[in-house]
Amino acid sequence: MTAPITRRDLIGTSAAAAALPMPSLADAPAPAAPAAPAVAALTINGQVHRVAIDQRTSLLDALREHIGLTGTKKGCDHGSCGACTVHVDNKRVLACLVLAHRVEGRAVTTIEGLAQGDTLHPMQAAFLAHDGYQCGYCTPGQIMSAVSLVEEGHTQSEAEIAEWMSGNLCRCGAYTNIRAAIQDAARAKRA
Amino acid sequence: MYIGQGIVRQDGRLKVTGGARYAAEFDVPGCLHAVLVQSTIPAGAITGYDTAQAERMPGVVAIITHQNAGALNQHKAAQQTVTHPFLQDGRIVYNGQHVAVAVADTFERAEAAASAVRVRYAPSEAVTVMDESALSRAYKPKQFQNGEKSPDVSRGDEDAAFAGAPVRVEATYETPVEHHNPMEPHATIAMWRGDTVAVWTSTQGISGVQETLASAFGLPKESVTVVCPYVGGGFGCKGNTWPPATIAALAARHVGRPVKLVVTRPQMFTSNGYRPKTIQKIRLGAGRDGRLLSIRHDGFSQMSDPMLGEFSEPVGVVTQMAYSCRNVAVTHRVVPVNQGLPTYMRAPGESSGMFALESAMDEMAHALRMDPLAFRLANYAERDEQKDKPFASKGLRECYSRAADRFGWRQRNPTPGSMRDGRILVGWGMATSTYPTNRRPCHARIVVRSDGTVLVQSGVQDLGTGTYTIMAQCAADRLGVDIARVSAQLGDSRFPQGPVSGGSATAASVLPAIEAAADALLARLAALAALDPHFAQVPPADIRLDGFDLTAPGRRVPVLQVMARAGLHTVDAEGSSAPGDAYKAHSCHSFGAQFAEIRIDPDFGTIRVSRIVSCFEVGRLLNARTGRSQLLGGIVFGIGMALQEETLVDRATGRIVNSNIADYHVPVNADVPDIEVMTVDAPDLATGALGAKGAGELPMVGVAPAIANAVFHATGRRVRKLPIRVEDVLA
């Protein structure tokens, strides 16, 4: 299977282009109009959503603006903050760096798909118990990363958790509580 | 009693399941998307726009510039320091100023259209950076602290005292431009119905947004509805109503459809203020006995073009009360440059000013060969000597001793560079923290519903501080009902008016209003019960609420039965509060002591914070769980200030070069060490009924100087400019 083209690839391309001698912005041609929106069938939390979206639409914007799943957050739209972390085929991925059309046929899990009915996922319960947030905006991304961390086996020590959670920024500074929550949930899973 | 307990956040479940809706997440049918276009020169005038190409792009509804935006009034509201709404004229005063907005049916199309708008400029000379050479442009702020205080304050004769002081320290300190970078960018959805407008917006002050939009569009306040149930972090940059909110409403009016405008992360660096760069000149005089004889603190802070409003970083306000000293002089000046308007950022003035003062105190302690803590104790202020008022409460001595004991301060070898762990240099530093206790007028309502639930409502905001939860705790306590029945609602201008969530004032403002509302509700329920045959002949004053029953000696009737008999589905009452005489008669402050341990690799110069121990005196801690989180979070913010955060500007173009959250460094998980916080739990009854003094800003004050002082202790190098970097400590 080939890796999906991500927006990081596109950003990389344009960054390389920017290094070349460039005419002034005022002379630059306007970006070419993209092809018309096309329908994508996206499998989100086990449910198929058919949405007419632009080729440029990120998975993040597809979720938030077209499917109404706003639990996945946009903090930077450039892969720097981790707020948009979701799972694609059970691996953590930054939804802002993935084009929505490229995840057709793959299983996307968002924060809304983590709980079983009224029963919170153990990681959600641990964040609640440890107050692993304040404003809550980075929280869905933190929890999605934290769930992956346990799967990846990166929860052996507090230092390891801190290192592997460093792609998820929390400006409120709930880091010590986040580490405690992950340690608890990981311990419970091992037990 | 629920107050004080570590009750789990009422909004916690929504936050961990993705159910909490932030401003950009409300589903408004037919909503269009707007993307801002920003200037690419730092000064000059717009000579024209080429918008035809953008207008022809698919899905584009409008390109709005100052030529077709229509007139707006100035922004005007209580505590609003941002006065210019933009898109009103062609004047450019900074790079990144809003010059147009593209509106289209999808976000992608609006973004593409915004990038296709061409703006023609006639550039003019610009001064883009505040440095020593720019200080000649300094002037005295006209609206210092909202015009409530004087920028220049003194007592005694500082000049003479300094001249005669046996030991003198004189130095200049610098703090950089810093950006708040809340995780949630600014966002507004605006929807007009006739001459009324509803906005969902990310703000620390819904009543300020209401007043500002009413002033900008010439509407009565009641015609503006503002909704903001969750704020994804503010830290000050959502305290004012910034132009993007106004522009969203303008765009929605222009196109006749609802419009959503989300500020991008790079645009966040030029859209909603920042902590201005400061240059601070401090001189201290002391006797050989360790008593301060004089303090002088001259602060310069970066300002924008006064056309946009005014803000100055009040670095020297804290200097006036921090220590006992007869001769004190403080001045504040602002230096206009071609950058956006600065604003409040977490502990504005206190965090930046205390970096300078507490570094200077450490320098003086070293000059006196005194222990830094002993030096502070020798100059402990028993009262506010500038205001000449007693402190309402001051538990700083206990903070010092508890944190010092826990940290192990007594084991500190005072000689710089003397403490090592193998080849790693270890430094121990400390600093004082203080922050004023602010309190503002506030209103609240409590509603009992026929399903047995109780709603407590106020037009305040929850920035993640736990406001929802403490509101419910307070109402449940005052009414004497199970907290499971009580839920809080806030962030809606249709609720009784609350103040801006800034200055760590929300808890101290809203809780007394809730208590007043609860008392009014109890009186109303008693009056209703008195009409019930079960309470025949019982005066209302003898009827009490017990659990969820109304009782009098020998009688007990459920509240819901009384309501049903009266044919009522709801019973409600409102209450208000404002700072009282006791508050005004005192100097009201919270206090703390910060102790930091850092480790420096002598070969690479890398500085790591390895341990922080702090003790805070915040009056009554209202919720042990959320209160602790606030204290921890403030310390993390301080670590960023000390070692990481700095907004960098290209001098030639005035453009911010690290306008993204990868290059603007904020602390990540691995940057944050073991932090231990303790509190002195002592209700401050002069402040308000529950005695909470505010905990949001205090914990970041003193962190940066404690770390800077630890760097000196580890290396013997005094770094007077933040953030402290590898090159500052390399030999």
Side-chain angles (χ1 to χ4, degrees):
Chain A
M1 191 173 63
T2 54
I5 293 171
T6 69
R7 280 178 70 202
R8 198 192 289 275
D9 297 325
L10 299 181
I11 290 166
T13 309
S14 56
L20 299 169
M22 288 275 284
S24 82
L25 264 184
D27 307 323
V39 173
L42 303 178
T43 308
I44 318 289
N45 303 327
Q47 201 187 328
V48 178
H49 297 263
R50 289 178 196 286
V51 283
I53 48 174
D54 210 301
Q55 286 84 339
R56 297 166 293 190
T57 305
S58 66
L59 174 57
L60 174 59
D61 286 324
L63 291 168
R64 288 172 63 82
E65 304 295 344
H66 296 271
I67 299 174
L69 291 174
T70 56
T72 306
K73 304 303 181 193
K74 184 186 278 192
C76 72
D77 213 17
H78 277 76
S80 314
C81 76
C84 66
T85 306
V86 297
H87 297 168
V88 175
D89 293 341
N90 293 317
K91 296 246 181 317
R92 54 172 162 161
V93 154
L94 298 173
C96 76
L97 295 185
V98 176
L99 293 168
H101 279 284
R102 301 298 300 192
V103 297
E104 280 194 274
R106 305 177 73 172
V108 179
T109 306
T110 71
I111 188 73
E112 290 94 343
L114 221 48
Q116 300 287 323
D118 281 345
T119 308
L120 294 178
H121 184 283
M123 193 61 76
Q124 291 173 310
F127 269 67
L128 202 60
H130 286 276
D131 210 42
Y133 48 71
Q134 286 187 55
C135 80
Y137 197 78
C138 73
T139 310
Q142 300 276 358
I143 291 174
M144 297 308 284
S145 272
V147 168
S148 288
L149 220 64
V150 177
E151 296 298 321
E152 294 161 8
H154 293 312
T155 58
Q156 300 308 310
S157 68
E158 194 178 347
E160 189 183 21
I161 291 171
E163 192 63 34
W164 286 86
M165 283 300 289
S166 281
N168 288 83
L169 304 183
C170 169
R171 191 58 162 151
C172 299
Y175 295 126
T176 51
N177 290 351
I178 289 170
R179 295 200 293 260
I182 296 173
Q183 280 182 301
D184 247 21
R187 244 192 314 266
K189 181 152 181 165
R190 277 196 292 269
Chain B
M1 184 139 154
Y2 295 109
I3 281 291
Q5 284 187 43
I7 307 279
V8 171
R9 277 173 211 266
Q10 287 219 328
D11 47 331
R13 200 180 167 92
L14 282 175
K15 284 179 173 172
V16 300
T17 55
R21 274 189 195 270
Y22 298 80
E25 299 167 357
F26 285 84
D27 186 17
V28 177
C31 194
L32 300 173
H33 295 259
V35 171
L36 291 165
V37 179
Q38 300 187 318
S39 68
T40 52
I41 64 162
I46 296 171
T47 58
Y49 296 90
D50 295 328
T51 60
Q53 199 165 22
E55 279 160 355
R56 281 198 304 272
M57 291 170 74
V60 173
V61 178
I63 306 293
I64 305 168
T65 70
H66 80 268
Q67 293 170 339
N68 64 350
L72 291 173
N73 303 317
Q74 292 270 297
H75 281 176
K76 212 167 145 190
Q79 299 183 335
Q80 172 80 17
T81 58
V82 185
T83 54
H84 199 286
F86 287 127
L87 301 194
Q88 293 298 294
D89 54 59
R91 221 181 126 198
I92 301 295
V93 296
Y94 71 96
N95 199 323
Q97 178 181 327
H98 314 307
V99 293
V101 61
V103 186
D105 60 350
T106 69
F107 169 64
E108 292 78 15
R109 287 168 159 183
E111 204 177 29
S115 71
V117 172
R118 298 285 172 261
V119 186
R120 292 189 300 274
Y121 302 101
S124 57
E125 284 289 302
V127 174
T128 60
V129 172
M130 180 183 102
D131 51 19
E132 286 277 350
S133 71
L135 296 190
S136 58
R137 302 160 62 90
Y139 63 89
K140 198 191 261 197
K142 294 169 185 68
Q143 292 290 318
F144 188 68
Q145 298 210 304
N146 291 310
E148 290 158 12
K149 289 181 186 159
S150 167
D152 295 357
V153 172
S154 65
R155 60 177 183 263
D157 185 345
E158 187 276 335
D159 264 330
F162 181 75
V167 185
R168 288 182 273 183
V169 161
E170 190 165 8
T172 300
Y173 303 87
E174 256 187 64
T175 62
V177 169
E178 295 165 7
H179 275 82
H180 314 71
N181 275 313
M183 295 312 299
E184 180 206 19
H186 269 262
T188 301
I189 299 173
M191 180 178 75
W192 289 84
R193 288 241 168 84
D195 286 334
T196 65
V197 63
V199 294
W200 293 260
T201 190
S202 184
T203 180
Q204 291 172 236
I206 53 169
S207 55
V209 175
Q210 186 186 34
E211 276 181 68
T212 304
L213 293 184
S215 78
F217 291 95
L219 300 170
K221 209 173 83 168
E222 300 69 37
S223 301
V224 182
T225 304
V226 184
V227 179
C228 178
Y230 298 99
V231 188
F235 313 112
C237 75
K238 295 172 180 171
N240 271 291
T241 307
W242 292 89
T246 321
I247 293 172
L250 170 83
R253 191 181 62 173
H254 189 95
V255 301
R257 294 199 26 205
V259 164
K260 180 193 297 195
L261 193 163
V262 182
V263 177
T264 68
R265 180 60 60 182
Q267 290 173 345
M268 286 287 286
F269 285 76
T270 57
S271 296
N272 30 260
Y274 56 90
R275 192 197 301 279
K277 177 175 177 174
T278 70
I279 295 177
Q280 304 176 50
K281 297 171 188 287
I282 291 201
R283 63 185 200 187
L284 305 178
R288 297 203 189 282
D289 59 352
R291 291 297 310 272
L292 279 168
L293 298 174
S294 72
I295 306 175
R296 181 169 193 96
H297 193 166
D298 296 312
F300 297 85
S301 69
Q302 175 177 316
M303 235 290 280
S304 183
D305 190 296
M307 167 180 108
L308 304 184
E310 187 186 281
F311 177 79
S312 50
E313 181 87 357
V315 292
V317 172
V318 65
T319 308
Q320 299 161 23
M321 53 65 67
Y323 294 104
S324 177
C325 184
R326 283 202 186 154
N327 306 294
V328 176
V330 167
T331 66
H332 292 91
R333 295 292 178 271
V334 289
V335 182
V337 296
N338 291 101
Q339 292 295 339
L341 190 68
T343 194
Y344 323 96
M345 180 162 159
R346 202 170 193 170
E350 287 78 14
S351 52
S352 45
M354 285 293 259
F355 164 67
L357 181 65
E358 287 295 277
S359 293
M361 288 292 286
D362 203 67
E363 297 199 46
M364 179 58 94
H366 188 71
L368 290 165
R369 297 172 189 281
M370 269 181 91
D371 174 78
L373 174 54
F375 177 51
R376 284 165 175 82
L377 286 167
N379 294 285
Y380 194 86
E382 299 290 355
R383 57 191 276 116
D384 185 327
E385 295 178 4
Q386 191 64 47
K387 289 184 183 157
D388 195 23
K389 287 178 181 177
F391 289 115
S393 57
K394 182 171 180 176
L396 180 57
R397 254 198 198 94
E398 196 178 342
C399 292
Y400 283 141
S401 69
R402 283 181 57 193
D405 285 351
R406 187 77 192 164
F407 187 82
W409 185 254
R410 261 186 230 109
Q411 278 81 56
R412 179 178 183 265
N413 182 335
T415 308
S418 63
M419 292 176 66
R420 286 179 178 249
D421 181 1
R423 49 183 282 281
I424 300 294
L425 295 166
V426 176
W428 285 7
M430 60 84 57
T432 305
S433 175
T434 183
Y435 191 81
T437 303
N438 295 307
R439 199 183 147 181
R440 304 193 178 100
C442 188
H443 309 270
R445 179 193 296 134
I446 303 184
V447 186
V448 179
R449 298 192 295 191
S450 56
D451 63 358
T453 60
V454 177
L455 288 180
V456 49
Q457 302 170 325
S458 178
V460 289
Q461 303 68 220
D462 188 335
L463 316 185
T465 49
T467 310
Y468 278 108
T469 314
I470 58 168
M471 282 172 69
Q473 288 173 269
C474 173
D477 276 343
R478 194 70 167 196
L479 293 170
V481 303
D482 189 328
I483 197 168
R485 291 182 185 276
V486 185
S487 55
Q489 294 183 317
L490 50 74
D492 191 316
S493 61
R494 291 164 294 190
F495 297 148
Q497 189 173 340
V500 63
S501 287
S504 303
T506 304
S509 304
V510 73
L511 297 189
I514 291 171
E515 290 195 326
D519 293 348
L521 182 75
L522 289 171
R524 191 158 291 178
L525 287 173
L528 269 182
L531 303 175
D532 191 288
H534 283 95
F535 291 97
Q537 315 300 323
V538 180
D542 292 350
I543 302 174
R544 304 257 178 275
L545 188 64
D546 177 22
F548 218 53
D549 296 334
L550 288 156
T551 65
R555 302 164 219 228
R556 173 177 287 269
V557 184
V559 168
L560 299 183
Q561 193 175 314
V562 171
M563 284 170 61
R565 199 179 293 264
L568 295 172
H569 292 294
T570 62
V571 178
D572 64 83
E574 293 194 14
S576 301
S577 85
D581 293 339
Y583 176 85
K584 291 170 191 161
H586 291 90
S587 175
C588 300
H589 275 257
S590 48
F591 295 93
Q594 312 264 20
F595 289 78
E597 176 186 276
I598 56 117
R599 283 160 189 265
I600 298 179
D601 185 310
D603 296 326
F604 297 106
T606 46
I607 310 164
R608 306 289 298 170
V609 180
S610 47
R611 196 159 62 98
I612 289 189
V613 177
S614 306
C615 185
F616 300 106
E617 199 253 306
V618 292
R620 190 194 298 272
L621 194 64
L622 298 167
N623 181 313
R625 188 184 306 261
T626 59
R628 177 174 172 273
S629 292
Q630 260 189 293
L631 299 173
L632 290 169
I635 291 169
V636 173
F637 224 88
I639 292 173
M641 181 182 195
L643 298 175
Q644 297 177 296
E645 298 188 34
E646 178 175 22
T647 301
L648 296 162
V649 167
D650 171 48
R651 192 179 282 266
T653 61
R655 194 169 180 85
I656 293 172
V657 296
N658 58 341
S659 58
N660 64 76
I661 209 163
D663 293 319
Y664 182 96
H665 292 176
V666 300
V668 301
N669 204 317
D671 292 320
V672 173
D674 194 26
I675 300 173
E676 196 171 340
V677 294
M678 296 173 282
T679 53
V680 176
D681 200 349
D684 178 338
L685 297 179
T687 301
L690 286 166
K693 297 208 284 188
E697 292 165 275
L698 175 79
M700 100 160 272
V701 180
V703 175
I707 291 172
N709 295 341
V711 167
F712 174 76
H713 181 235
T715 63
R717 282 169 186 251
R718 177 64 60 184
V719 183
R720 301 189 180 93
K721 186 178 174 195
L722 294 180
I724 303 169
R725 292 180 287 198
V726 167
E727 51 267 45
D728 294 323
V729 298
L730 278 180

